[in-house]
Amino acid sequence: MDLAASCDVVIEEINNDDEDEGNLIQKFVHGEADFPDFYTKLDPHEQPDDEDDGEEDEEEEDGDAEMGTSDINDIRSSQEREMQEQAEFKANIMQGFPNIELPPGALNFSNMTVPKRKKQSRKDRKMNADDIPSTSRRVRSTSSTSTGGVRKRSLLNVALQGLMGEANLCFARGQIQMAEKICLEIIRQNPLAPEPFFTLAEIYESRDTEKFLNFLTIAVHLNPSDRYQWIRIAEMHIAQGNLQRARIYYTRAIKVHPRDYDLRLRKARLLDMMGEKTAALFTYLKMIQHCPVDRHELCLVTAKNVAKHFHGCNKYHLALEAMQSAYGVCGHLFSLEDLNLYMELCIINKQYFKVLQCLRERTNLELETEKEEQLDLIFYCVIPDDYLPDFRVKLCVALINLKAHHLLGYLIQNIHEHIPPLETDRLHLYCDIAEALMQEHKYAEAISLLRPITDGDIIECPAFIWLKQAECLRHLNRCNEAIESYTRVVEYAPYCYEAKFTLSALLKQQGRHIEAVKALEQSGEHEGQPLHARLLYERCIMLQQINEIEEFLEIGCVLLGRQSIKLRNREEMQAAANGGSFYNSEGLKVILQMRNIIGDEADKALEVSKSSSSNNATDDLSVHDEYQLFLELMRIGFLHKNTSILERMCFAMVTTKRFVGYHVELERIIILACYFNNDCSIAFSYLRELIHKNASSKPLWNLMCLLIQKGQDLRYHRYINRLIQRQPQAKGMRILTGHYHLHCSSYKYALNVYVPLYKEQPTALLALCIAVIFQQISMQKKVLRKCAAVSQSVVFAQKYAELRSTAFAMSPNNVDSSMENSVTYQEINYNLGRIYHQCGLFHLAVEYYEKALNFTHPLLEKHEKILSLKQEIAFNLHLIYRSSGNFAKARQYLYEYCVV
């Protein structure tokens, strides 16, 4: 797109905005719409208070004043045409009304055909000079207004200007209604002209305050260069309590005249009144450079207050800007303290040249450079003996950072001579110079600077001096001396955790692991001091490396439980696990009630466990690292059979929201931890919630079977019955009900469960369970048909053998389908032998036992401790032979298979 086309597009957009604005104004004037809200808000191109509001080149005041010869000729010709139109328009008016000057309602405005000028946008749209030529800009002439401001050239043509004059005459004569009608007609034909709105504002000034303020606001928006009207509107809004609108109008007034000191002061005080302290300080900051001569003292006080505020907010560049502006305006009023503050801010912002310039201007410093105006190359300097200590130190810091390394010897000697470390208050000056030397990697020079303090006996060397020396020694690879210095730091400042980390790393580097672990202890802290997570984490890792397992588990438990409520007994553990959820806030409230903690104290205790991440600045341990350490602690604790601490760590994890992202894994882990710690009732509270969410999960039901085998709780049976009734997908777990009845010796109830299941789907397990039930019934005293029970037991035992061998033969992992070569052969013969053994058929039992005992298989040999049944078989054979009186044979089986 070429330049002319782009200009046409921009002009078309401006015209469209003008039309929209004109329509809104006409609707408001005729009462069809409310006051346009864009007049009470900042435009998108206007900047907020915390930026450079009005710091622009004064093109609005001085720009667009130069016009070419062709533009002047165009204006003159247009003025001549407008004067002719005005004369014709006056003649028509006088011909229509010869006797009455301007009676009310005499002018028929609807029939007038007055030529309209192009409407102008309410916004000062700026176009880049590189994109739009100067000849295409809209030319504006300026004239002084009644209030002393600068306004745009009127948008009214000659005819409407005449009407505007008549409206003003009517208003002056007291013909208020006629003046209002004329103004409304002018607005109808040209709604973007400010003159009729000014007149309407004067009409309603004493009649309607709201209308007066609205018309005046529109007028000033259409003539935004009149800053006094902006101030007037702002003060009226302040009187009405509309402080936010007053703030906006002060901002627009500042844009008209950005160098008005009093205007910015008014806005800053308004912001203070609104409670916008930061915005007020920004306004004070921009006000400093426009301070008049008679207010220099106020300017200095304001600059110091602004600098102190932004320095406290760590906005050092703004603090320096305040002091630098004040130094440029009223630098002659700066006291030594003010100069010290100014140079301190220059050093913080790394503007060291300004420090030297200030010292050369305000002190008798002798400094020779390559060029008098520049400080690029410094030859030498002579510091006077009467120099202030703060100035002397700032000069040294500036020279060090300006790479004047050839002067280091002189500077360090000068510091030792004129600032001897006789008082503790001067040590921070040494620390500033040492930090500057360390930034330039001059560690040996920094040590020589600090050596009189660390080796002297005049004053006690504080921890921060030892720390600087230790860091320098560490960078110089003088490890033994660095370890000694870091030890002093830890001794004097036990809360300096970074020193502990570095000391531990140095000791570990030298192979002194026990001392490295001891260096990470927090023994020097007072009671109630929060634990440092990273310190505990590093200590755990090091304890694991040196194989201190017990202490590793204890410290890990302390680390994991630092943000959770410590559970003191089993009742509190049951309350925390009630409901089986990951984070049970109700259970935690019950625990606090058990401890008689209520009200605000209870809320504070719950806030600790609710924190998803630590609010402590020193707690930089991530949730992922902490969870990985937890898994390692669980693994090590399980290998060393320390199940009680495993359960404690699990409860420390589930009683805080910090690990909410791992709640699914943690719920399964806590179930296993409680199971291995023989705490099945708590494990059941978590397990039933998982089963309720996924009732078809076989691993969960396997966990349930483990809990049933170890636990002695009637809730298992009732829970399974309720679950089977509620959830159809859990009906396949009816076998657990049969197992429960079998475990409780309720054989008839067990048969009522096993037999229907066996008819639906015959399996080897069901057949074996039925065989065991009949065998147990046959052993009871009051059984009428004992032989029938034995027969049924044997029959189902044989069914079990068939189904078991068939199921194994059909498995995809089986290679040989023959029963004699299958790995289940030993299991089948052992179970058959037990059935015959308990039935009293010892000769058959011995036969099956012998088959199972003589059977070998590669899988059984590989996993002998898990799969082999030779010890159980040999013991049963020993019982049979001992009961028959063959003690030698019985002893043979014991010695061969059962002696450890």
Side-chain angles (χ1 to χ4, degrees), residues 462 496 507 645 876:
C496 186
L507 292 170
I645 200 169
N876 290 346

Side-chain angles (χ1 to χ4, degrees), residues 483-676:
I483 288 174
E484 182 180 354
S485 298
Y486 276 118
T487 304
R488 294 291 186 92
V489 175
V490 173
E491 179 182 354
Y492 295 147
Y495 307 136
C496 186
Y497 300 112
E498 293 300 328
K500 291 186 176 184
F501 287 133
T502 309
L503 176 59
S504 177
L506 291 174
L507 292 170
K508 182 180 177 182
Q509 184 178 355
Q510 293 188 347
R512 301 157 63 178
H513 298 285
I514 303 299
E515 298 179 26
V517 173
K518 189 175 181 181
L520 295 175
E521 293 180 356
Q522 304 184 59
S523 58
E525 299 169 352
H526 300 287
E527 294 182 0
Q529 180 71 18
L531 297 175
H532 193 279
R534 176 59 63 176
L535 200 66
L536 291 173
Y537 179 79
E538 296 295 338
R539 189 176 172 190
C540 284
I541 298 300
M542 198 168 295
L543 286 170
Q544 183 185 11
Q545 292 174 355
I546 64 176
N547 203 26
E548 293 289 340
I549 301 302
E550 293 296 330
E551 190 175 359
F552 167 66
L553 295 175
E554 288 294 335
I555 298 300
C557 188
V558 172
L559 173 62
L560 297 175
R562 73 190 186 281
Q563 292 181 339
S564 60
I565 297 178
K566 310 301 183 294
L567 305 180
R568 300 174 181 176
N569 48 47
R570 180 176 175 77
E571 287 74 15
E572 292 184 354
M573 294 176 64
Q574 290 178 344
N578 187 20
S581 59
F582 173 76
Y583 178 79
N584 186 9
S585 59
E586 297 298 327
L588 297 181
K589 291 180 181 178
V590 173
I591 294 173
L592 296 176
Q593 291 177 359
M594 294 168 62
R595 300 179 184 179
N596 295 325
I597 299 176
I598 57 176
D600 296 338
E601 296 181 359
D603 296 336
K604 292 179 181 179
L606 288 176
E607 285 298 325
V608 177
S609 60
K610 286 180 180 179
S611 59
S612 60
S613 61
S614 178
N615 296 326
N616 191 359
T618 60
D619 194 354
D620 55 352
L621 185 61
S622 66
V623 178
H624 176 73
D625 292 342
E626 197 167 349
Y627 182 72
Q628 294 301 319
L629 177 63
F630 164 74
L631 296 180
E632 187 65 19
L633 288 166
M634 297 298 292
R635 186 184 68 83
I636 299 297
F638 180 76
L639 291 177
H640 289 79
K641 309 299 181 183
N642 197 341
T643 57
S644 61
I645 200 169
L646 296 182
E647 187 174 0
R648 283 168 50 197
M649 285 189 288
C650 288
F651 271 99
M653 298 284 282
V654 300
T655 52
T656 177
K657 284 188 174 182
R658 179 174 172 81
F659 304 96
V660 68
Y662 302 96
H663 69 93
V664 176
E665 296 87 347
L666 284 173
E667 286 180 350
R668 296 176 183 271
I669 293 174
I670 195 173
I671 292 171
L672 293 175
C674 294
Y675 169 77
F676 287 115

Side-chain angles (χ1 to χ4, degrees), residues 463-476:
F464 64 88
I465 297 295
W466 283 112
L467 180 61
K468 297 299 178 185
Q469 178 172 290
E471 291 176 355
C472 294
L473 292 170
R474 179 172 61 87
H475 283 94
L476 294 174

